Amino acid sequence: MPYRPAVLVALLALAAGTFLFRFTGPVLRSRLTFPPQAERLLNTAAIVLLGALVASSALATGHHIGGVARPMGVLVGGVLAYRKVPFLVIVAAAAAVTAVLRLLSVP
Amino acid sequence: MFIIFNMRSIWRTLDRNLLRGIALACLSVGVIGISYGAVCVTSGFPLWFPVLAAALVLAASSEFLFVGMIAAGGSPAAAVLLGLLVNARHLPYGLAMPPRVIQPGWRRIVASHLMNDESVVLALAQPDVPRQRSAYWICGVGMLICWPAGALLGGLAGNVIHDTDAFGLDSMFPAVILALILPALRERGMRRAVLTGAAITLATTPFLPSGLPELLALCAVFLNSAPEKKKKAV
C-alpha cells in the first residue's frame, strides 16, 4: 500500500511548489519592466525549453535514448508543419505513423 | 451571462483548425490520463489520489514521476524534490508570457494554475494579445478538464488499458510542441539556441535526474542574444 498520510502531505507540497513556480513569472513580469534585450532573452528561454522538451519527449524514454517509431512520427509531424499542413493533420499524422510502425513491431 | 459572452469572443478569435488541433491535444492528454489513473490504482493508490493530484499539480510528467517513486518505495520528500525539479520550467515560462496575456487580479491566480507546456506554446505562437489570451485560456481549461477526468476514468477502469503507446499517443505531445515552435525557428539565432539546447538535453539525459537536462538547455539562450543583423541593414 503506497498511500499513507505523509504521501498526501508530499503531494500538497508538490502542488504548492509548482503553483509558486507558475505564479512567480507573471508577477515579476507585471512588476518589472525589462529592456527589449532582456525580453528577447526571456522569450528565447521559453522556446529553448520547449525545444529541449521536444527533443527529450521524442527521443528519450526515462534515461534511455532509443526507439524509432516515436521519433519517426514526430519527424513526419515536423515535416508536415514545415509545409504548413493544417494543425489537426500534423498531430493525427504523428500518432498514426508511430502507431503503424509499432503495429509492424518497429521499436 | 457575461462569462458566456466572454467565452464566445474567446472562441471567435481563434481559427477553427487550431481549435480542432487543441481539442485533439486535450483528448490525447485525457487518454494518457487514463493510463495514469490505471497505473496509480493498480500500484495501490486509492482512486481519489490520482484525480486530486491531476487537478492540483496539473503537470503530467512530474506526477508520473512522483507516484512512480512512491510506489517503488522512495521517500515522499525525495519525490517532491524531483517533481519540483521537473516543474521548475514553469518559472521561465511565466517570465516569457507578455504581461497583458495573463491579466492581474484573481484571473492571474487561475491563469497561473493553467500554465502548462501546451498553453504556453500555443499562446507564444499567436500573433496578437487577444489571440494569445484566447489560446492560453482555452488550452489551459481543456487540460484542467481532460487530465483529471482521464485519471478518474483510468482509476475506475483499473488495468483495462495500460498500453496507450500502441496508439502512438506519445508522439502527439512532441509533435504539437514542435509544430508550434517551428515558426520561431525561422530566425537564425533562435534556431541556433534551440538546437544547441536540445543537444545539451539529449547529451545529459542518460545520467542526470529528470527535469535537469531540460533546464540545462537554458545555457544555450545566450546564442540568441544579438538581434538579427539583416534587420539593421534594411
Side-chain angles (χ1 to χ4, degrees), chain A residues 63, chain B residues 36 60-71 79 82-83 86 209-211:
Chain A
H63 294 281
Chain B
Y36 167 61
S61 47
S62 69
E63 290 173 51
F64 267 115
L65 201 65
F66 181 86
V67 297
M69 275 189 74
I70 302 278
L82 219 53
V86 173
S210 314

Side-chain angles (χ1 to χ4, degrees), chain A:
Chain A
M1 185 76 183
Y3 175 73
R4 50 199 188 277
V7 172
L8 181 59
V9 175
L11 173 68
L12 295 178
L14 175 61
T18 302
F19 182 79
L20 276 181
F21 281 137
R22 285 178 166 135
F23 194 59
T24 309
V27 168
L28 285 179
R29 195 64 203 255
S30 69
R31 299 264 158 91
L32 309 170
T33 39
F34 293 96
Q37 188 74 0
E39 257 178 45
R40 180 191 172 78
L41 281 182
L42 293 176
N43 185 49
T44 305
I47 304 286
V48 164
L49 268 176
L50 288 160
L53 217 53
V54 170
S56 62
S57 60
L59 296 166
T61 310
H63 294 281
H64 172 75
I65 292 175
V68 177
R70 196 186 327 133
M72 284 309 288
V74 178
L75 185 67
V76 168
V79 170
L80 290 177
Y82 186 73
R83 312 198 75 174
K84 302 208 165 131
V85 163
F87 190 63
L88 183 65
V89 179
I90 296 167
V91 182
V97 167
T98 301
V100 168
L101 286 177
R102 290 210 175 112
L103 206 63
L104 303 171
S105 45
V106 175

Side-chain angles (χ1 to χ4, degrees), chain B residues 153-219:
Chain B
L153 280 179
L156 289 172
N159 49 12
V160 175
I161 308 170
H162 56 266
D163 191 19
T164 51
D165 280 4
F167 307 111
L169 292 178
D170 51 331
S171 47
M172 283 170 109
F173 172 76
V176 164
I177 308 283
L178 177 60
L180 291 169
I181 63 170
L182 216 49
L185 300 185
R186 279 175 218 274
E187 211 181 306
R188 201 207 270 161
M190 185 69 92
R191 195 162 59 229
R192 198 168 45 203
V194 169
L195 288 178
T196 311
I200 294 172
T201 299
L202 290 177
T204 53
T205 293
F207 49 85
L208 287 183
S210 314
L212 205 51
E214 286 83 1
L215 293 178
L216 275 181
L218 289 176
C219 298

